[in-house]
Amino acid sequence: MVHPEDVNVNNDPVNDVKSMIDAVDVRQQFTNDMSFSCREQLLDWVRREASKLEFGIVTLRSNNGNSRRKTFVVLNCERGGRYVPTNWVLKHEDTGSRKCGCSFKLRMTRRIDDLWRLSVICGIHNHSLEAKLHGHPTVCRLSREEKNVISDLSIIKVAPRNILADLKRKNPDSVSNIKQVYNERHNFKVLKMGPRSEMKQLLKLLGDNQYVSSFRTCEDKVTVRDIFWTHPESIKFFNTFPTILVMDLTYKTNKYRLPLLEIVGVTSTDKTFSVGFSFLECEKKITLHGFWEYASLCWLIKRIGQVSLLLTETML
Protein backbone atom coordinates (compact mmCIF):
# COMPACT_ATOMS: atom_id res chain seq x y z
CA MET A 1 0.00 0.00 0.00
CA VAL A 2 1.26 3.48 -0.88
CA HIS A 3 1.16 6.05 1.91
CA PRO A 4 -0.17 9.51 1.02
CA GLU A 5 3.07 11.18 2.00
CA ASP A 6 4.99 8.93 -0.37
CA VAL A 7 3.68 10.77 -3.43
CA ASN A 8 5.34 13.88 -4.90
CA VAL A 9 7.52 14.67 -1.88
CA ASN A 10 10.21 17.23 -2.72
CA ASN A 11 9.07 16.97 -6.35
CA ASP A 12 10.80 13.58 -6.62
CA PRO A 13 9.17 11.08 -8.99
CA VAL A 14 7.68 8.09 -7.21
CA ASN A 15 7.19 4.83 -9.08
CA ASP A 16 3.83 3.10 -9.14
CA VAL A 17 4.51 0.43 -6.55
CA LYS A 18 1.13 -1.26 -7.05
CA SER A 19 2.47 -2.84 -10.21
CA MET A 20 5.71 -3.90 -8.57
CA ILE A 21 5.71 -7.58 -7.77
CA ASP A 22 8.89 -7.40 -5.69
CA ALA A 23 7.94 -4.21 -3.77
CA VAL A 24 8.94 -4.28 -0.09
CA ASP A 25 7.63 -1.86 2.55
CA VAL A 26 10.11 -1.21 5.40
CA ARG A 27 8.55 1.99 6.74
CA GLN A 28 7.86 0.53 10.19
CA GLN A 29 11.51 -0.37 10.77
CA PHE A 30 12.55 3.30 10.47
CA THR A 31 9.56 5.01 12.10
CA ASN A 32 10.25 5.96 15.72
CA ASP A 33 10.50 8.91 18.11
CA MET A 34 14.18 8.46 18.89
CA SER A 35 16.53 11.44 19.07
CA PHE A 36 20.28 11.36 18.53
CA SER A 37 22.92 13.73 19.79
CA CYS A 38 24.93 13.93 16.55
CA ARG A 39 24.68 13.20 12.86
CA GLU A 40 27.16 10.32 12.89
CA GLN A 41 25.28 8.52 15.65
CA LEU A 42 22.00 8.63 13.71
CA LEU A 43 23.71 7.67 10.47
CA ASP A 44 25.32 4.63 12.11
CA TRP A 45 21.93 3.55 13.47
CA VAL A 46 20.30 3.86 10.03
CA ARG A 47 23.08 1.84 8.38
CA ARG A 48 22.81 -0.91 11.00
CA GLU A 49 19.06 -1.16 10.48
CA ALA A 50 19.52 -1.21 6.71
CA SER A 51 22.11 -3.97 7.02
CA LYS A 52 19.65 -6.05 9.05
CA LEU A 53 17.14 -5.69 6.20
CA GLU A 54 19.86 -6.55 3.63
CA PHE A 55 20.16 -3.32 1.62
CA GLY A 56 22.60 -0.42 1.46
CA ILE A 57 22.14 3.25 2.30
CA VAL A 58 23.87 6.18 0.56
CA THR A 59 23.68 9.96 0.97
CA LEU A 60 21.60 11.60 -1.75
CA ARG A 61 22.07 15.24 -0.71
CA SER A 62 22.75 17.29 2.39
CA ASN A 63 22.85 20.87 3.64
CA ASN A 64 24.78 22.30 6.58
CA GLY A 65 22.11 24.90 7.18
CA ASN A 66 21.96 28.69 6.86
CA SER A 67 19.59 31.52 7.67
CA ARG A 68 16.93 30.15 5.33
CA ARG A 69 17.34 26.37 5.48
CA LYS A 70 17.65 23.86 8.26
CA THR A 71 20.46 21.34 8.51
CA PHE A 72 19.35 18.08 6.90
CA VAL A 73 20.61 14.94 5.19
CA VAL A 74 18.58 12.94 2.66
CA LEU A 75 19.41 9.23 2.39
CA ASN A 76 18.22 6.82 -0.23
CA CYS A 77 18.68 3.20 -1.25
CA GLU A 78 21.88 2.41 -3.08
CA ARG A 79 19.75 1.23 -6.00
CA GLY A 80 17.95 4.56 -6.26
CA GLY A 81 18.23 6.79 -9.30
CA ARG A 82 19.13 5.86 -12.84
CA TYR A 83 22.47 4.89 -14.32
CA VAL A 84 23.95 7.63 -16.51
CA PRO A 85 26.29 6.12 -19.12
CA THR A 86 29.53 7.91 -19.90
CA ASN A 87 30.89 8.87 -23.30
CA TRP A 88 33.72 6.37 -22.96
CA VAL A 89 33.68 3.32 -25.20
CA LEU A 90 33.88 0.33 -22.89
CA LYS A 91 35.60 -2.85 -23.93
CA HIS A 92 32.70 -4.92 -22.64
CA GLU A 93 29.34 -3.43 -23.61
CA ASP A 94 27.29 -6.00 -21.68
CA THR A 95 27.80 -4.21 -18.36
CA GLY A 96 24.96 -3.68 -15.90
CA SER A 97 24.04 -1.44 -12.97
CA ARG A 98 22.47 -1.91 -9.55
CA LYS A 99 20.39 1.24 -9.97
CA CYS A 100 16.72 0.59 -10.69
CA GLY A 101 15.03 3.84 -9.67
CA CYS A 102 14.24 2.75 -6.10
CA SER A 103 12.14 5.44 -4.38
CA PHE A 104 13.14 4.62 -0.78
CA LYS A 105 14.21 7.83 1.01
CA LEU A 106 14.91 8.96 4.57
CA ARG A 107 15.45 12.45 5.93
CA MET A 108 17.71 13.34 8.86
CA THR A 109 17.01 16.75 10.38
CA ARG A 110 18.68 18.68 13.19
CA ARG A 111 16.18 20.42 15.43
CA ILE A 112 16.53 23.66 17.38
CA ASP A 113 17.75 21.75 20.45
CA ASP A 114 20.62 20.32 18.33
CA LEU A 115 19.13 16.81 18.44
CA TRP A 116 18.80 14.78 15.26
CA ARG A 117 15.53 13.13 14.22
CA LEU A 118 14.71 10.72 11.43
CA SER A 119 11.67 10.89 9.19
CA VAL A 120 10.59 8.57 6.38
CA ILE A 121 9.91 10.17 3.01
CA CYS A 122 9.23 6.92 1.20
CA GLY A 123 9.55 3.54 2.86
CA ILE A 124 9.01 1.28 -0.15
CA HIS A 125 11.57 -0.53 -2.27
CA ASN A 126 10.63 -1.39 -5.84
CA HIS A 127 12.91 -4.43 -5.78
CA SER A 128 13.42 -7.50 -3.65
CA LEU A 129 16.00 -7.24 -0.88
CA GLU A 130 19.27 -9.09 -1.15
CA ALA A 131 19.86 -12.40 0.58
CA LYS A 132 23.48 -11.39 1.33
CA LEU A 133 25.26 -8.05 1.26
CA HIS A 134 28.68 -9.39 0.26
CA GLY A 135 30.18 -7.32 -2.53
CA HIS A 136 28.08 -4.18 -1.93
CA PRO A 137 30.55 -1.24 -1.79
CA THR A 138 28.41 0.87 0.54
CA VAL A 139 28.05 -1.92 3.09
CA CYS A 140 31.64 -3.17 2.86
CA ARG A 141 33.06 0.15 4.03
CA LEU A 142 35.45 -0.07 6.92
CA SER A 143 34.79 1.71 10.17
CA ARG A 144 37.34 4.01 11.80
CA GLU A 145 38.25 1.30 14.32
CA GLU A 146 38.78 -1.26 11.55
CA LYS A 147 40.99 1.17 9.63
CA ASN A 148 43.12 1.67 12.74
CA VAL A 149 43.46 -2.10 13.14
CA ILE A 150 44.61 -2.45 9.52
CA SER A 151 47.18 0.32 9.98
CA ASP A 152 48.56 -1.21 13.17
CA LEU A 153 48.79 -4.72 11.71
CA SER A 154 50.35 -3.44 8.48
CA ILE A 155 53.17 -1.86 10.46
CA ILE A 156 54.14 -5.24 11.93
CA LYS A 157 53.99 -6.92 8.48
CA VAL A 158 50.83 -8.98 8.96
CA ALA A 159 49.55 -10.51 5.72
CA PRO A 160 46.28 -9.02 4.33
CA ARG A 161 44.43 -12.34 4.58
CA ASN A 162 45.33 -12.56 8.27
CA ILE A 163 44.21 -8.95 8.79
CA LEU A 164 40.85 -9.78 7.23
CA ALA A 165 40.54 -12.86 9.43
CA ASP A 166 41.21 -10.74 12.51
CA LEU A 167 38.50 -8.25 11.46
CA LYS A 168 36.02 -11.08 10.93
CA ARG A 169 36.88 -12.53 14.34
CA LYS A 170 36.27 -9.21 16.11
CA ASN A 171 33.11 -8.44 14.13
CA PRO A 172 31.32 -11.56 12.83
CA ASP A 173 28.70 -9.40 11.10
CA SER A 174 31.29 -7.63 8.96
CA VAL A 175 30.92 -8.15 5.20
CA SER A 176 34.18 -6.45 4.22
CA ASN A 177 36.38 -8.30 1.76
CA ILE A 178 40.05 -8.48 0.96
CA LYS A 179 39.77 -5.61 -1.54
CA GLN A 180 38.93 -3.15 1.24
CA VAL A 181 41.98 -4.33 3.18
CA TYR A 182 44.28 -3.78 0.21
CA ASN A 183 42.79 -0.34 -0.45
CA GLU A 184 43.26 0.76 3.16
CA ARG A 185 46.84 -0.54 3.20
CA HIS A 186 47.53 1.51 0.07
CA ASN A 187 45.98 4.63 1.60
CA PHE A 188 48.09 4.11 4.72
CA LYS A 189 51.27 3.83 2.67
CA VAL A 190 50.44 6.99 0.71
CA LEU A 191 49.74 8.88 3.94
CA LYS A 192 52.95 7.59 5.47
CA MET A 193 54.98 8.58 2.40
CA GLY A 194 53.73 12.18 2.57
CA PRO A 195 55.23 14.63 0.06
CA ARG A 196 58.21 12.39 -0.70
CA SER A 197 58.50 10.83 -4.13
CA GLU A 198 58.58 7.07 -4.52
CA MET A 199 62.34 7.03 -5.00
CA LYS A 200 62.93 9.18 -1.91
CA GLN A 201 60.61 6.90 0.06
CA LEU A 202 62.55 3.85 -1.14
CA LEU A 203 65.87 5.37 -0.08
CA LYS A 204 64.37 6.35 3.28
CA LEU A 205 63.08 2.82 3.92
CA LEU A 206 66.42 1.33 2.94
CA GLY A 207 68.16 3.59 5.43
CA ASP A 208 65.61 3.02 8.20
CA ASN A 209 65.93 -0.76 7.86
CA GLN A 210 69.76 -0.64 7.74
CA TYR A 211 70.07 -1.77 4.13
CA VAL A 212 73.28 -1.00 2.25
CA SER A 213 72.45 0.70 -1.05
CA SER A 214 74.08 2.53 -3.94
CA PHE A 215 72.61 4.23 -6.99
CA ARG A 216 73.62 6.02 -10.19
CA THR A 217 71.89 9.10 -11.58
CA CYS A 218 71.65 10.66 -15.03
CA GLU A 219 73.47 13.79 -16.10
CA ASP A 220 70.83 15.97 -14.44
CA LYS A 221 71.86 14.47 -11.06
CA VAL A 222 68.17 13.93 -10.25
CA THR A 223 66.84 11.01 -12.30
CA VAL A 224 67.96 7.63 -10.95
CA ARG A 225 69.14 5.20 -13.60
CA ASP A 226 70.26 2.22 -11.51
CA ILE A 227 69.93 1.38 -7.85
CA PHE A 228 71.36 -1.56 -5.91
CA TRP A 229 70.57 -2.62 -2.34
CA THR A 230 71.37 -5.50 -0.03
CA HIS A 231 70.90 -6.40 3.61
CA PRO A 232 73.86 -6.81 6.02
CA GLU A 233 72.76 -10.38 6.77
CA SER A 234 72.90 -11.18 3.05
CA ILE A 235 76.41 -9.76 2.93
CA LYS A 236 77.48 -12.03 5.78
CA PHE A 237 76.11 -15.03 3.90
CA PHE A 238 77.91 -13.97 0.73
CA ASN A 239 81.23 -13.54 2.53
CA THR A 240 80.80 -17.06 3.89
CA PHE A 241 79.68 -18.64 0.59
CA PRO A 242 81.14 -16.52 -2.29
CA THR A 243 81.64 -19.37 -4.76
CA ILE A 244 78.40 -19.37 -6.77
CA LEU A 245 76.28 -16.40 -7.85
CA VAL A 246 73.10 -16.73 -9.92
CA MET A 247 71.80 -13.55 -11.61
CA ASP A 248 68.49 -13.16 -13.41
CA LEU A 249 66.36 -10.26 -14.65
CA THR A 250 62.62 -10.00 -14.06
CA TYR A 251 60.47 -7.70 -16.18
CA LYS A 252 57.22 -5.75 -15.66
CA THR A 253 57.54 -5.62 -11.87
CA ASN A 254 56.84 -1.87 -11.59
CA LYS A 255 55.11 0.93 -13.47
CA TYR A 256 58.46 2.36 -14.62
CA ARG A 257 59.26 -0.86 -16.53
CA LEU A 258 62.70 -1.11 -14.95
CA PRO A 259 64.12 -4.65 -15.04
CA LEU A 260 64.72 -6.11 -11.59
CA LEU A 261 68.07 -7.87 -11.27
CA GLU A 262 68.09 -10.49 -8.52
CA ILE A 263 71.36 -11.99 -7.27
CA VAL A 264 71.15 -15.33 -5.50
CA GLY A 265 73.93 -17.24 -3.74
CA VAL A 266 74.24 -20.93 -2.90
CA THR A 267 75.44 -22.35 0.42
CA SER A 268 77.52 -25.50 0.94
CA THR A 269 74.32 -27.43 1.69
CA ASP A 270 72.73 -26.43 -1.66
CA LYS A 271 70.44 -23.86 -0.05
CA THR A 272 69.87 -20.53 -1.79
CA PHE A 273 69.87 -17.06 -0.26
CA SER A 274 69.33 -13.55 -1.66
CA VAL A 275 72.53 -11.57 -2.06
CA GLY A 276 71.14 -8.32 -3.45
CA PHE A 277 68.69 -6.64 -5.80
CA SER A 278 69.04 -3.93 -8.41
CA PHE A 279 66.75 -1.92 -10.68
CA LEU A 280 68.51 -1.34 -14.01
CA GLU A 281 67.70 1.16 -16.72
CA CYS A 282 67.54 -1.64 -19.29
CA GLU A 283 69.28 -4.86 -20.26
CA LYS A 284 71.23 -3.45 -23.18
CA LYS A 285 74.93 -4.21 -23.26
CA ILE A 286 75.97 -0.57 -23.12
CA THR A 287 73.87 -0.01 -20.01
CA LEU A 288 75.24 -3.08 -18.28
CA HIS A 289 78.73 -2.06 -19.37
CA GLY A 290 78.17 1.39 -17.89
CA PHE A 291 76.95 -0.24 -14.71
CA TRP A 292 80.13 -2.35 -14.54
CA GLU A 293 82.24 0.80 -15.09
CA TYR A 294 80.35 2.51 -12.31
CA ALA A 295 81.18 -0.37 -9.98
CA SER A 296 81.68 -4.01 -10.76
CA LEU A 297 78.79 -5.78 -9.10
CA CYS A 298 80.87 -8.48 -7.49
CA TRP A 299 83.42 -5.96 -6.29
CA LEU A 300 80.61 -3.77 -5.01
CA ILE A 301 79.12 -6.60 -2.98
CA LYS A 302 82.50 -7.56 -1.51
CA ARG A 303 83.37 -3.94 -0.75
CA ILE A 304 80.02 -3.26 0.87
CA GLY A 305 80.35 -6.53 2.76
CA GLN A 306 83.69 -5.47 4.19
CA VAL A 307 82.33 -2.08 5.22
CA SER A 308 79.26 -3.65 6.73
CA LEU A 309 81.27 -6.17 8.73
CA LEU A 310 83.54 -3.41 10.04
CA LEU A 311 80.52 -1.37 11.07
CA THR A 312 78.96 -4.41 12.75
CA GLU A 313 82.13 -5.17 14.70
CA THR A 314 82.40 -1.53 15.76
CA MET A 315 78.80 -1.48 16.98
CA LEU A 316 79.32 -4.67 18.95
Side-chain angles (χ1 to χ4, degrees):
M1 178 177 180
V2 180
H3 296 273
E5 57 268 29
D6 289 342
V7 182
N8 294 331
V9 177
N10 293 337
N11 296 325
D12 293 334
V14 178
N15 297 327
D16 185 11
V17 296
K18 293 182 180 180
S19 61
M20 301 175 187
I21 300 177
D22 298 330
V24 180
D25 190 350
V26 296
R27 168 180 292 271
Q28 297 300 325
Q29 284 78 358
F30 294 94
T31 303
N32 55 61
D33 297 330
M34 300 172 57
S35 299
F36 298 85
S37 59
C38 62
R39 168 179 171 175
E40 288 73 19
Q41 185 179 3
L42 176 54
L43 187 59
D44 291 341
W45 181 86
V46 172
R47 287 176 175 171
R48 287 196 301 268
E49 293 298 320
S51 299
K52 294 178 183 178
L53 298 173
E54 305 296 341
F55 72 94
I57 285 287
V58 296
T59 301
L60 179 62
R61 58 181 176 268
S62 62
N63 188 281
N64 293 327
N66 51 35
S67 58
R68 296 183 179 180
R69 304 187 67 177
K70 296 181 179 179
T71 304
F72 70 91
V73 179
V74 177
L75 308 173
N76 70 331
C77 176
E78 65 177 355
R79 302 190 64 178
R82 298 292 180 181
Y83 173 71
V84 179
T86 61
N87 296 328
W88 302 341
V89 178
L90 300 177
K91 183 178 182 180
H92 302 286
E93 297 182 356
D94 57 342
T95 57
S97 173
R98 290 192 179 97
K99 295 183 178 296
C100 62
C102 180
S103 57
F104 177 85
K105 285 184 178 63
L106 302 175
R107 185 184 181 92
M108 298 166 45
T109 308
R110 188 175 69 179
R111 302 185 305 183
I112 300 178
D113 55 0
D114 290 337
L115 295 179
W116 286 81
R117 291 290 303 275
L118 180 69
S119 59
V120 180
I121 298 177
C122 179
I124 299 178
H125 295 273
N126 65 350
H127 56 88
S128 60
L129 301 182
E130 301 289 343
K132 294 182 179 180
L133 289 177
H134 294 277
H136 288 241
T138 58
V139 184
C140 293
R141 292 175 180 173
L142 299 169
S143 63
R144 186 180 301 274
E145 292 75 13
E146 291 176 331
K147 291 181 179 180
N148 294 334
V149 170
I150 294 176
S151 301
D152 296 339
L153 296 181
S154 299
I155 294 176
I156 59 177
K157 309 300 182 182
V158 178
R161 63 178 182 275
N162 296 332
I163 296 177
L164 181 62
D166 183 69
L167 296 178
K168 297 290 186 181
R169 180 182 58 83
K170 294 180 179 179
N171 184 14
D173 297 331
S174 175
V175 293
S176 301
N177 51 40
I178 194 67
K179 181 63 176 177
Q180 274 72 35
V181 177
Y182 278 114
N183 290 342
E184 184 58 30
R185 280 165 54 93
H186 173 72
N187 295 335
F188 174 71
K189 291 180 180 178
V190 172
L191 181 63
K192 188 177 179 180
M193 185 169 60
R196 292 185 295 271
S197 63
E198 295 182 352
M199 182 56 64
K200 290 182 179 179
Q201 179 69 4
L202 174 61
L203 296 176
K204 180 180 181 299
L205 293 177
L206 292 176
D208 294 344
N209 294 277
Q210 299 180 353
Y211 278 78
V212 181
S213 62
S214 181
F215 60 91
R216 183 179 62 154
T217 59
C218 297
E219 296 179 355
D220 57 3
K221 304 299 182 180
V222 177
T223 306
V224 176
R225 299 179 59 183
D226 309 301
I227 180 172
F228 169 81
W229 69 92
T230 181
H231 195 270
E233 294 295 329
S234 300
I235 298 175
K236 292 180 182 180
F237 271 104
F238 176 74
N239 289 335
T240 307
F241 307 102
T243 306
I244 300 177
L245 279 180
V246 181
M247 303 183 188
D248 191 18
L249 283 168
T250 305
Y251 299 90
K252 298 181 180 180
T253 59
N254 52 84
K255 65 180 181 180
Y256 301 106
R257 302 297 183 181
L258 294 176
L260 174 63
L261 175 64
E262 182 178 4
I263 308 167
V264 179
V266 182
T267 66
S268 58
T269 57
D270 294 335
K271 301 294 183 180
T272 59
F273 62 94
S274 296
V275 177
F277 301 89
S278 176
F279 279 120
L280 303 178
E281 186 178 12
C282 60
E283 198 186 3
K284 292 182 180 179
K285 182 177 180 180
I286 184 173
T287 303
L288 290 177
H289 178 68
F291 190 73
W292 301 141
E293 288 182 350
Y294 168 69
S296 175
L297 192 55
C298 293
W299 172 86
L300 180 62
I301 296 175
K302 291 181 180 179
R303 181 61 179 170
I304 294 175
Q306 295 173 1
V307 174
S308 177
L309 288 177
L310 290 175
L311 291 176
T312 304
E313 293 176 357
T314 303
M315 293 171 58
L316 294 177

Short mmCIF file of all heavy atoms in Angstrom, two decimals, residues 72-100:
data_model
loop_
_atom_site.label_atom_id
_atom_site.label_comp_id
_atom_site.label_asym_id
_atom_site.label_seq_id
_atom_site.Cartn_x
_atom_site.Cartn_y
_atom_site.Cartn_z
N PHE A 72 20.01 19.35 7.18
CA PHE A 72 19.35 18.08 6.90
C PHE A 72 20.25 17.20 6.05
O PHE A 72 21.21 17.67 5.42
CB PHE A 72 18.02 18.30 6.17
CG PHE A 72 18.17 18.79 4.76
CD1 PHE A 72 18.24 17.89 3.70
CD2 PHE A 72 18.26 20.15 4.48
CE1 PHE A 72 18.40 18.33 2.39
CE2 PHE A 72 18.42 20.60 3.18
CZ PHE A 72 18.49 19.69 2.13
N VAL A 73 19.93 15.93 6.04
CA VAL A 73 20.61 14.94 5.19
C VAL A 73 19.54 14.02 4.63
O VAL A 73 18.72 13.48 5.38
CB VAL A 73 21.65 14.12 5.98
CG1 VAL A 73 22.30 13.08 5.06
CG2 VAL A 73 22.70 15.01 6.60
N VAL A 74 19.53 13.83 3.32
CA VAL A 74 18.58 12.94 2.66
C VAL A 74 19.32 11.67 2.25
O VAL A 74 20.34 11.74 1.56
CB VAL A 74 17.92 13.61 1.43
CG1 VAL A 74 17.00 12.62 0.72
CG2 VAL A 74 17.15 14.85 1.85
N LEU A 75 18.83 10.53 2.70
CA LEU A 75 19.41 9.23 2.39
C LEU A 75 18.48 8.47 1.47
O LEU A 75 17.26 8.61 1.55
CB LEU A 75 19.64 8.42 3.67
CG LEU A 75 20.43 9.12 4.79
CD1 LEU A 75 20.43 8.25 6.04
CD2 LEU A 75 21.85 9.41 4.35
N ASN A 76 19.04 7.67 0.62
CA ASN A 76 18.22 6.82 -0.23
C ASN A 76 18.88 5.47 -0.41
O ASN A 76 20.03 5.25 0.01
CB ASN A 76 17.97 7.47 -1.59
CG ASN A 76 19.21 7.53 -2.45
OD1 ASN A 76 20.32 7.58 -1.94
ND2 ASN A 76 19.03 7.53 -3.75
N CYS A 77 18.17 4.56 -0.99
CA CYS A 77 18.68 3.20 -1.25
C CYS A 77 19.81 3.28 -2.27
O CYS A 77 19.80 4.14 -3.17
CB CYS A 77 17.55 2.31 -1.75
SG CYS A 77 18.06 0.64 -2.23
N GLU A 78 20.77 2.40 -2.15
CA GLU A 78 21.88 2.41 -3.08
C GLU A 78 21.46 2.07 -4.51
O GLU A 78 22.20 2.35 -5.45
CB GLU A 78 22.96 1.41 -2.63
CG GLU A 78 22.50 -0.04 -2.66
CD GLU A 78 23.61 -1.00 -2.29
OE1 GLU A 78 24.74 -0.54 -2.12
OE2 GLU A 78 23.33 -2.21 -2.19
N ARG A 79 20.26 1.54 -4.67
CA ARG A 79 19.75 1.23 -6.00
C ARG A 79 18.82 2.32 -6.52
O ARG A 79 18.14 2.14 -7.52
CB ARG A 79 19.02 -0.12 -5.97
CG ARG A 79 19.88 -1.28 -5.51
CD ARG A 79 19.21 -2.61 -5.73
NE ARG A 79 19.01 -2.89 -7.15
CZ ARG A 79 18.46 -4.02 -7.62
NH1 ARG A 79 18.08 -4.96 -6.77
NH2 ARG A 79 18.30 -4.18 -8.91
N GLY A 80 18.77 3.45 -5.81
CA GLY A 80 17.95 4.56 -6.26
C GLY A 80 18.57 5.31 -7.42
O GLY A 80 19.78 5.28 -7.64
N GLY A 81 17.74 6.03 -8.16
CA GLY A 81 18.23 6.79 -9.30
C GLY A 81 18.41 5.92 -10.54
O GLY A 81 18.09 4.74 -10.56
N ARG A 82 18.90 6.54 -11.56
CA ARG A 82 19.13 5.86 -12.84
C ARG A 82 20.60 5.95 -13.21
O ARG A 82 21.27 6.93 -12.92
CB ARG A 82 18.28 6.48 -13.95
CG ARG A 82 16.78 6.37 -13.73
CD ARG A 82 16.32 4.94 -13.82
NE ARG A 82 14.86 4.84 -13.61
CZ ARG A 82 14.20 3.68 -13.62
NH1 ARG A 82 14.87 2.56 -13.84
NH2 ARG A 82 12.91 3.66 -13.40
N TYR A 83 21.08 4.92 -13.88
CA TYR A 83 22.47 4.89 -14.32
C TYR A 83 22.65 5.82 -15.51
O TYR A 83 21.88 5.75 -16.48
CB TYR A 83 22.89 3.48 -14.68
CG TYR A 83 24.27 3.39 -15.31
CD1 TYR A 83 25.41 3.61 -14.55
CD2 TYR A 83 24.42 3.10 -16.65
CE1 TYR A 83 26.67 3.53 -15.10
CE2 TYR A 83 25.68 3.03 -17.23
CZ TYR A 83 26.79 3.24 -16.45
OH TYR A 83 28.04 3.17 -17.00
N VAL A 84 23.65 6.70 -15.42
CA VAL A 84 23.95 7.63 -16.51
C VAL A 84 25.20 7.14 -17.22
O VAL A 84 26.30 7.19 -16.65
CB VAL A 84 24.16 9.06 -15.98
CG1 VAL A 84 24.48 10.01 -17.13
CG2 VAL A 84 22.93 9.54 -15.22
N PRO A 85 25.09 6.63 -18.43
CA PRO A 85 26.29 6.12 -19.12
C PRO A 85 27.23 7.25 -19.49
O PRO A 85 26.82 8.39 -19.74
CB PRO A 85 25.69 5.44 -20.37
CG PRO A 85 24.39 6.13 -20.58
CD PRO A 85 23.87 6.51 -19.23
N THR A 86 28.51 6.93 -19.52
CA THR A 86 29.53 7.91 -19.90
C THR A 86 29.76 7.87 -21.41
O THR A 86 29.20 7.03 -22.13
CB THR A 86 30.85 7.60 -19.18
OG1 THR A 86 31.30 6.28 -19.57
CG2 THR A 86 30.64 7.61 -17.67
N ASN A 87 30.56 8.81 -21.86
CA ASN A 87 30.89 8.87 -23.30
C ASN A 87 32.03 7.93 -23.67
O ASN A 87 32.37 7.83 -24.84
CB ASN A 87 31.26 10.30 -23.69
CG ASN A 87 30.09 11.26 -23.52
OD1 ASN A 87 28.94 10.88 -23.69
ND2 ASN A 87 30.40 12.51 -23.16
N TRP A 88 32.61 7.27 -22.66
CA TRP A 88 33.72 6.37 -22.96
C TRP A 88 33.20 5.11 -23.64
O TRP A 88 32.11 4.63 -23.36
CB TRP A 88 34.46 5.98 -21.68
CG TRP A 88 35.00 7.16 -20.94
CD1 TRP A 88 35.22 8.41 -21.41
CD2 TRP A 88 35.36 7.19 -19.55
NE1 TRP A 88 35.71 9.24 -20.44
CE2 TRP A 88 35.81 8.53 -19.29
CE3 TRP A 88 35.38 6.26 -18.54
CZ2 TRP A 88 36.26 8.91 -18.04
CZ3 TRP A 88 35.83 6.64 -17.28
CH2 TRP A 88 36.25 7.95 -17.04
N VAL A 89 34.02 4.57 -24.53
CA VAL A 89 33.68 3.32 -25.20
C VAL A 89 34.28 2.19 -24.38
O VAL A 89 35.49 2.03 -24.30
CB VAL A 89 34.22 3.30 -26.64
CG1 VAL A 89 33.89 1.96 -27.30
CG2 VAL A 89 33.63 4.46 -27.44
N LEU A 90 33.42 1.42 -23.73
CA LEU A 90 33.88 0.33 -22.89
C LEU A 90 34.25 -0.88 -23.73
O LEU A 90 33.67 -1.11 -24.80
CB LEU A 90 32.81 -0.05 -21.87
CG LEU A 90 32.36 1.07 -20.91
CD1 LEU A 90 31.25 0.57 -20.00
CD2 LEU A 90 33.53 1.56 -20.08
N LYS A 91 35.19 -1.64 -23.22
CA LYS A 91 35.60 -2.85 -23.93
C LYS A 91 34.49 -3.88 -23.90
O LYS A 91 34.24 -4.57 -24.88
CB LYS A 91 36.88 -3.40 -23.29
CG LYS A 91 37.44 -4.61 -24.01
CD LYS A 91 38.74 -5.08 -23.37
CE LYS A 91 39.32 -6.27 -24.11
NZ LYS A 91 40.59 -6.73 -23.48
N HIS A 92 33.82 -4.00 -22.77
CA HIS A 92 32.70 -4.92 -22.64
C HIS A 92 31.43 -4.09 -22.56
O HIS A 92 31.22 -3.35 -21.61
CB HIS A 92 32.86 -5.80 -21.40
CG HIS A 92 34.13 -6.60 -21.38
ND1 HIS A 92 34.30 -7.71 -22.18
CD2 HIS A 92 35.28 -6.44 -20.70
CE1 HIS A 92 35.51 -8.21 -21.96
NE2 HIS A 92 36.13 -7.45 -21.08
N GLU A 93 30.57 -4.21 -23.56
CA GLU A 93 29.34 -3.43 -23.61
C GLU A 93 28.19 -4.09 -22.87
O GLU A 93 27.11 -3.50 -22.77
CB GLU A 93 28.95 -3.18 -25.07
CG GLU A 93 29.99 -2.36 -25.84
CD GLU A 93 29.57 -2.09 -27.25
OE1 GLU A 93 28.50 -2.61 -27.65
OE2 GLU A 93 30.28 -1.36 -27.96
N ASP A 94 28.37 -5.30 -22.37
CA ASP A 94 27.29 -6.00 -21.68
C ASP A 94 27.36 -5.75 -20.17
O ASP A 94 27.12 -6.65 -19.37
CB ASP A 94 27.35 -7.50 -21.98
CG ASP A 94 28.68 -8.11 -21.60
OD1 ASP A 94 29.64 -7.34 -21.44
OD2 ASP A 94 28.75 -9.35 -21.49
N THR A 95 27.71 -4.53 -19.77
CA THR A 95 27.80 -4.21 -18.36
C THR A 95 26.42 -3.83 -17.83
O THR A 95 25.53 -3.41 -18.58
CB THR A 95 28.77 -3.04 -18.12
OG1 THR A 95 28.35 -1.91 -18.89
CG2 THR A 95 30.18 -3.44 -18.52
N GLY A 96 26.23 -3.99 -16.53
CA GLY A 96 24.96 -3.68 -15.90
C GLY A 96 25.13 -2.68 -14.77
O GLY A 96 26.21 -2.18 -14.50
N SER A 97 24.04 -2.39 -14.07
CA SER A 97 24.04 -1.44 -12.97
C SER A 97 23.06 -1.91 -11.91
O SER A 97 22.04 -2.55 -12.22
CB SER A 97 23.67 -0.04 -13.46
OG SER A 97 23.53 0.84 -12.37
N ARG A 98 23.39 -1.60 -10.64
CA ARG A 98 22.47 -1.91 -9.55
C ARG A 98 21.29 -0.96 -9.50
O ARG A 98 20.27 -1.26 -8.89
CB ARG A 98 23.21 -1.86 -8.21
CG ARG A 98 24.21 -2.97 -7.97
CD ARG A 98 24.65 -2.98 -6.52
NE ARG A 98 25.58 -4.05 -6.24
CZ ARG A 98 26.89 -3.91 -6.20
NH1 ARG A 98 27.40 -2.72 -6.44
NH2 ARG A 98 27.68 -4.92 -5.94
N LYS A 99 21.43 0.21 -10.07
CA LYS A 99 20.39 1.24 -9.97
C LYS A 99 19.14 0.82 -10.74
O LYS A 99 19.21 0.41 -11.90
CB LYS A 99 20.92 2.57 -10.49
CG LYS A 99 22.06 3.15 -9.66
CD LYS A 99 22.49 4.49 -10.19
CE LYS A 99 23.59 5.10 -9.33
NZ LYS A 99 23.12 5.37 -7.95
N CYS A 100 17.99 0.95 -10.07
CA CYS A 100 16.72 0.59 -10.69
C CYS A 100 15.63 1.62 -10.37
O CYS A 100 14.44 1.31 -10.48
CB CYS A 100 16.28 -0.80 -10.26
SG CYS A 100 16.00 -0.96 -8.48
#
